């Protein structure tokens, strides 16, 4: 009896130290919007808790990698019907999360959900409905296309894949369009901005609302042959820079109705894609005029040799990252005479909700 | 000793009954071309054996669904390093195969491979190199695009997805093109013909070789709201027919440079997609002029009311399916005055290698 009492006290101290209060979990769980057709699990409730169910009757242990930070995910328990179930210990941040499932020590995906390429593997994904999810919702508005192109790349001796977002009306129009080159993060690929980021729907909705002038977005793979799967050490920008600047941009300008001038060309990227954006925009100041780093570092005024070639510097991150660094860098750039804008995504971390919102903030500032 | 001897005898009888001889497995296994980046397993050897390796140290049993027919797949054994490994008991048919992994009674995907939508779930895929793989290889030729469109569908009250293959040069050309509407099979979706079938590469290669006149291919989801996940009982064609004929075709004709006439419009499908093709072409004789059933049944002469509206009937299947039925149906159609062609894919079953080859045979016959 005494030991139980002490356990309760310790639990209360631990919970209060971790900023948790004993919340009642509301039983309004619904299948995640990213589930495979007909799949009931994983589920999410209105508070942002995620609940998992895995069928593996004879397993000894099942653990989901998603959970509150630093606690090794969520351990599932075997139910009387032999299924394994568990709920996160607290609400997850709004938006998209990668995860995987540990079954008897092996790493697998949840058969309930769609897969998304991240961490150099196809991972499970779950969506915690966000209060602002309307801006990337599939609506009854004119939709642009996402065009898979295979472009010749002599430097890597293959045909490489890119996805090209063309805005609604592109096919029938005779207009030429500015272009944003938009890069994914480490371990992701050229599918990320459409699949996880809904970049096409963000654009469709903003165009339908008259908030932006239509432009093209080009997304390609940024982890070229210099990167071994596993890390960013010894990263050299030249192989990707060659693919992007010498191969992809000429292909896009030759095959799509673009305004093929640096004044109408932007580059932005998330995380590692931001690092690449910074390196390439500084190496090639005559190629891009608009720069965006999304959770991907900052520019210092001294980094840029010719101020006249830069029309916009956009810096962003989640409030759970290093917002002060982003804000103070933008202030320093503004003080030095640059058109710099910072954006902080509230209550999000180094995840796709930060980057969806960042694209939504960046797009209206481009090509003005 | 006696029981071991009897076991060997029985095994020999079983093997000879199943037409197997004791073949030496050649140890030239290489990673499957469909593996995720950097993944060593699954592997395939020059004889067509597949070898699997799954990491799940504490599992009790691991079984891969792929294996020789009727034997429940391939059971993996735990190795001294705790990994689970196994090799199929015999060579697999050439081409693409779906599979999944049973771990302690649960159905998961192999973390080593890419996923492909089949059986109403994202499945693991493996590729057994085929002697004729050149016709769908990624080559240094001009490539067409695969365009994701979201088209309005009032009948299902949503925006639906289709993929549109546009041939090389489409963007710069002012020409109009004929269109093939090409359907997937049961449990698959609109990604199947590109991902599993390499329809775009098949077209690129044939166009580069001057074997066909370029045309557009449109691929959309054929399992509309009438089908519960699980079976084809009570299948009604009307919901999909409405989406295809009343919504998608007008959208494609309005947004792509098509020759918007039945004389330049084809429909084909594999398996269930063949069943849909038969139903819709017969219900709507003024919409399509070229019909293709790929492992998807046959037409009888009496099915078709107005012979003058049909320019081609193409029937195909694998030699391990029901080739006689396909051949005799084509003969009966020819005897009745139709331009009917049959094609049998040698040494393949109800799988994608049959349908890749079928598309390769069908394409040169279209729009003549």
């Amino acid at each position: 009896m005494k030991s139980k009492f002490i356990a309760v006290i310790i639990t209360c101290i631990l919970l209060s130290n971790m900023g948790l209060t004993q919340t009642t979990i509301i039983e309004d769980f619904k299948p995640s919007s990213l589930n495979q057709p007909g799949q009931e699990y994983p589920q999410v409730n209105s508070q942002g808790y995620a609940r998992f169910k895995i069928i593996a009757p004879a397993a000894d242990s099942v653990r989901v990698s998603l959970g509150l930070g630093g606690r090794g995910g969520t351990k599932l328990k075997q139910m009387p019907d032999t299924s394994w179930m568990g709920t996160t210990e607290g609400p997850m941040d709004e938006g998209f999360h990668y995860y995987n499932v540990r079954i008897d020590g092996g790493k697998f995906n949840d058969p309930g959900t769609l897969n998304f390429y991240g961490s150099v593997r196809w991972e499970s994904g779950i969506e915690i409905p966000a209060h602002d999810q309307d801006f990337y919702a599939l609506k009854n508005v004119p939709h642009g296309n996402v065009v898979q192109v295979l472009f010749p790349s002599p430097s890597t001796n293959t045909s490489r894949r890119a996805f090209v977002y063309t805005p609604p009306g592109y096919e029938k129009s005779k207009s030429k369009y500015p272009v944003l080159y938009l890069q994914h993060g480490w371990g992701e690929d050229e599918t990320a901005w459409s699949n996880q980021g809904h970049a096409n729907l963000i654009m469709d909705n903003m165009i339908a609302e008259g908030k932006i002038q239509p432009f093209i977005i080009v997304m390609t793979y940024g982890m070229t042959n210099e990167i071994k799967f596993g890390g960013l050490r010894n990263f050299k920008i030249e192989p990707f820079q060659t693919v992007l600047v010498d191969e992809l941009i000429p292909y896009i300008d030759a095959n799509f109705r673009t305004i093929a001038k640096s004044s109408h060309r932007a580059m932005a990227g998330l995380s590692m894609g931001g690092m690449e954006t910074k390196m390439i925009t500084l190496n090639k100041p005559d190629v891009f005029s608009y720069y965006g780093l999304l959770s991907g570092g900052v520019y210092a005024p001294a980094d840029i040799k010719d101020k006249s070639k830069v029309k916009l510097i956009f810096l962003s991150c989640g409030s759970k990252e290093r917002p002060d660094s982003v804000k103070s860098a933008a202030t320093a750039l503004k003080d030095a005479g640059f058109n710099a804008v910072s954006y902080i995504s509230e209550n999000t971390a180094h995840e796709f909700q930060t980057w969806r919102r960042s694209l939504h903030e960046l797009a209206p500032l481009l090509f003005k």
Side-chain angles (χ1 to χ4, degrees), chain A:
Chain A
M1 194 61 192
K2 195 179 163 189
S3 66
K4 267 200 185 169
F5 178 75
I6 292 171
V8 168
I9 294 287
I10 290 173
T11 304
C12 289
I13 293 169
L14 282 172
L15 287 173
S16 63
N17 279 347
M18 288 184 287
L20 293 177
T21 51
Q22 299 233 356
T23 315
T24 307
I25 298 180
I26 301 171
E27 288 296 330
D28 59 355
F29 286 86
K30 289 178 187 148
S32 160
S33 61
L34 302 181
N35 284 7
Q36 293 193 30
Q39 294 295 320
E40 286 295 309
Y41 285 87
Q43 299 193 339
V44 183
N45 81 350
S46 57
Q47 299 159 293
Y49 285 77
R51 181 170 285 172
F52 303 93
K53 180 176 184 174
I54 299 290
I55 306 298
D60 296 320
S61 75
V62 180
R63 181 185 282 277
V64 168
S65 64
L66 193 72
L68 295 187
R71 295 202 232 169
T74 301
K75 201 171 172 184
L76 308 195
K77 285 182 191 161
Q78 195 157 28
M79 301 287 109
D81 72 353
T82 78
S83 71
W84 292 81
M85 292 191 70
T87 306
T88 54
E89 288 182 54
M92 300 287 96
D93 286 347
E94 294 185 337
F96 174 86
H97 304 282
Y98 295 107
Y99 71 99
N100 53 64
V101 186
R102 282 256 166 204
I103 297 158
D104 286 354
K107 190 192 283 186
F108 299 94
N109 285 330
D110 185 340
T113 72
L114 298 176
N115 289 180
F116 300 86
Y117 196 70
S119 310
V120 200
R121 68 185 295 273
W122 286 90
E123 291 254 294
S124 300
I126 191 170
E127 184 79 27
I128 310 295
H131 71 282
D132 56 346
Q133 62 185 335
D134 189 67
F135 79 84
Y136 50 87
L138 176 66
K139 297 184 191 175
N140 186 16
V141 298
H143 292 291
N145 296 337
V146 178
V147 183
Q148 175 191 285
V149 303
L150 296 171
F151 63 97
S153 168
S155 75
T156 59
N157 197 29
T158 186
S159 294
R160 302 185 71 86
R161 185 169 70 164
F163 291 102
V164 181
Y165 169 81
T166 57
Y170 173 86
E171 286 75 21
K172 290 180 186 170
S173 159
K174 298 204 188 306
S175 303
K176 295 191 169 189
Y177 295 80
V179 186
L180 164 63
Y181 289 82
L182 186 60
Q183 289 303 126
H184 59 83
W186 182 87
E188 296 171 342
D189 70 8
E190 65 273 26
T191 61
W193 268 108
S194 301
N195 288 357
Q196 291 93 302
H198 302 312
N200 54 325
L201 300 180
I202 292 171
M203 293 291 290
D204 291 346
N205 291 337
M206 279 197 290
I207 291 167
E209 292 168 17
K211 287 185 180 166
I212 59 168
Q213 289 299 313
F215 57 85
I216 288 169
I217 301 180
V218 178
M219 301 157 278
T220 196
Y221 186 56
M223 292 175 71
T224 40
N225 51 337
E226 283 293 305
I227 287 196
K228 290 280 179 197
F229 302 106
L232 288 172
R233 283 176 307 156
N234 309 319
F235 180 77
K236 292 201 186 87
I237 194 64
E238 286 73 20
F240 176 58
Q241 182 174 291
T242 299
V243 168
L244 182 71
V245 174
D246 299 338
E247 297 172 346
L248 179 56
I249 291 178
Y251 183 87
I252 295 296
D253 285 339
N255 289 283
F256 290 83
R257 292 197 316 282
T258 65
I259 303 172
K261 296 191 286 193
S262 67
S263 59
H264 291 73
R265 200 180 288 126
M267 182 171 183
L270 71 89
S271 193
M272 183 195 78
M275 183 186 85
E276 294 177 331
T277 298
K278 181 176 172 180
M279 288 174 163
I280 293 175
T281 52
L282 295 178
N283 286 348
K284 298 282 182 181
D286 294 321
V287 177
F288 304 97
S289 300
Y290 297 79
Y291 307 173
L293 309 186
L294 288 49
S295 307
V298 299
Y299 294 88
D303 291 333
I304 296 159
K305 287 176 195 148
D306 186 347
K307 201 188 299 181
S308 72
K309 291 182 173 170
V310 188
K311 293 192 171 187
L312 172 74
I313 296 177
F314 178 88
L315 305 174
S316 75
C317 72
S319 66
K320 298 185 177 183
E321 300 189 84
R322 298 180 63 202
D324 292 343
S325 148
V326 160
K327 284 186 225 167
S328 61
T331 302
L333 287 162
K334 272 185 271 193
D335 290 348
F338 288 93
N339 177 26
V341 175
S342 68
Y343 165 70
I344 308 302
S345 165
E346 287 306 318
N347 298 315
T348 63
H350 199 73
E351 292 195 284
F352 245 105
Q353 191 67 7
T354 299
W355 307 318
R356 291 169 176 167
R357 289 176 179 165
S358 295
L359 175 60
H360 185 241
E361 296 291 322
L362 168 61
L365 306 175
L366 290 176
F367 312 121
K368 293 282 181 187

